[in-house]
Amino acid sequence: MIPVPGFDGARVGVLGLGRSGLAAARALAAGGAVPVCWDDGEAARAAAEAEGFEIADLGRERAWEAGLALLCVSPGIPALYPAPHKAVEQAWAHGVPVDNDVGLLFRALADEDFDSFDEPPRVVCITGSNGKSTTTALIGHILEAAGTPAQVGGNIGLGVLGFEPFHDGEVLVLELSSYQIELARTLAPDVAVFLNLSDDHLDRHGGRGGYFAAKARLFEAGAPERAVIGMDEPEGRFLADRVRGRGGEDDGVIGLSLTRKLPGEAWAVTARKGFLAETRKGKQVASVDLRELATLKGAHNHQNACAAWAACRALGLAPRAIEAALKTFPGLPHRLELVAQKDGVAFVNDSKATNADAAEKALLAWPRVRWIAGGVPKAGGIAPLVPLFDRVACAYLIGEAAEAFAKTLGDTPHVMCGDLETAVARAAADAQPGEAVLLSPACASFDQFKSFEHRGDAFRALARRAAGLSDLQEDPA
């Protein structure tokens, strides 16, 4: 873990005791602080108490009587919208600063003595509405394949304070959600990546503007040495304009695009018709054919590849090393994950597609699908996907969103299935050679599952059963 400095002997509140919260409590204790922990869930409190942590309801005045130096809030807990948690209100009332584990990581980095290091660690942070996890994992894979030590975490994998102690020359690769960025008091990435923006988490941020502002903090408060920015949306172009002029080579920006050349960019990475191209000062310096990369299928993954390429180039890696690593990337679970094949039918786990924009990417990746959708609906539902309904042989609807999705689907064939097991069985029975049975829910999972991972694992097991594969068998394809 990364010990958090600066709180020796001080009591520090830790609100939320999931993966990141428990890691924060351990890291604070390792740095000499006395964590005072709370979670609204009894099981989480019991787990923290079993580790010896003090438990106190931080939403009550009594917990603050002995004084707290800081309140560390886990990302899933609202600090402002739609309403601040009672513990956050208490911190404000007592004049106690509120931070999170990301802020504490950068505090630890700033406090570390790197004089004995030949090359101090560098930090790459990735944000955006869709593609963060794939891009983060891909950067980590490229670095490791090129012989550069790397640790990957944040919104994916390890909580950031669960990293191993810093090593000479390594790179920390952090996926950061808007929840994590908005509250961090310190942000100081060497390279920051902004992929895209679509409507998501709007209640948490008070609307689209607040959502974008949360992500933009990574570039404005963090002032990265190099900003990798998707230019296909106005928010990205706005952000690039804000970053430019801070000095440094090429105005500090590497532009990304899937739709057009970026002739005005001093440094750009684009992907058009399946070919990635890197240009600097108007001259092409590298090109890669992405079309045969099975784990980076679809235009959205081509953007992820561009972003990872740009970030690794900003870190000094050579084009040949990056290209070789792209070809060996294993892909991520739950994101266009091919879990089984039978009689020309592909079974694809895209459980991480929790909004319409993410589901759009999956529908574009397969020409004809048996689409399993539904769960806890997001704002706007699946209305943005109407132009893609001609790709849907039939939709199999589950969860709370089923009735609303059925109305939007209209004349597009659809079946009310209720649960995932029924949907997979019906879709597998109906599917024809050349089609994909695609779980891409465009919804959160919490009506029937603990997480999108839980939902994806359930789909994988059901799909493999439908394809006649045991848990121990390899897919014959």
Side-chain angles (χ1 to χ4, degrees), residues 91-112:
W92 295 344
H94 289 82
V96 172
V98 178
D99 205 347
N100 64 9
D101 60 334
V102 173
L104 294 179
L105 171 71
F106 282 111
R107 180 187 183 113
L109 277 163
D111 196 69
E112 185 77 18

Side-chain angles (χ1 to χ4, degrees), residues 27 62 124 126 219 237 249 263 270 356 415 441:
R62 185 174 179 179
V124 179
I126 300 93
F219 299 81
R237 296 190 290 274
E249 183 187 5
T270 60
V415 180

Side-chain angles (χ1 to χ4, degrees), residues 87 94 102 104 117 181 205 250 323 338 343:
H94 289 82
V102 173
L104 294 179
F117 284 41
I181 297 168
H205 298 292
D250 304 323
E323 180 179 2
L338 181 63
D343 299 332

Side-chain angles (χ1 to χ4, degrees), residues 15 106 157 209 264 267 293 313 385 415 417 442:
L15 179 63
F106 282 111
W267 195 350
L293 303 182
R313 291 286 284 141
L385 302 179
V415 180
C417 294

Side-chain angles (χ1 to χ4, degrees), residues 34 97 124 142 158 348 376:
V34 180
V124 179
I142 293 168
L158 282 174
V348 182
V376 181

Side-chain angles (χ1 to χ4, degrees), residues 243-334:
V243 171
R244 289 191 179 100
R246 293 179 183 169
E249 183 187 5
D250 304 323
D251 285 333
V253 174
I254 305 177
L256 309 175
S257 179
L258 298 181
T259 62
R260 56 202 172 96
K261 293 182 179 179
L262 296 174
E265 302 302 314
W267 195 350
V269 182
T270 60
R272 302 177 70 201
K273 298 181 179 180
F275 286 87
L276 179 152
E278 178 188 352
T279 57
R280 299 187 73 167
K281 299 180 180 179
K283 294 182 179 180
Q284 183 171 301
V285 297
S287 178
V288 178
D289 187 349
L290 302 174
R291 295 172 299 175
E292 301 304 318
L293 303 182
T295 58
L296 292 168
K297 184 178 177 64
H300 66 294
N301 271 325
H302 292 175
Q303 184 191 44
N304 299 335
C306 287
W309 181 285
C312 290
R313 291 286 284 141
L315 293 169
L317 271 66
R320 286 186 179 179
I322 301 172
E323 180 179 2
L326 288 176
K327 295 176 180 178
T328 61
F329 179 56
L332 277 184
H334 315 299

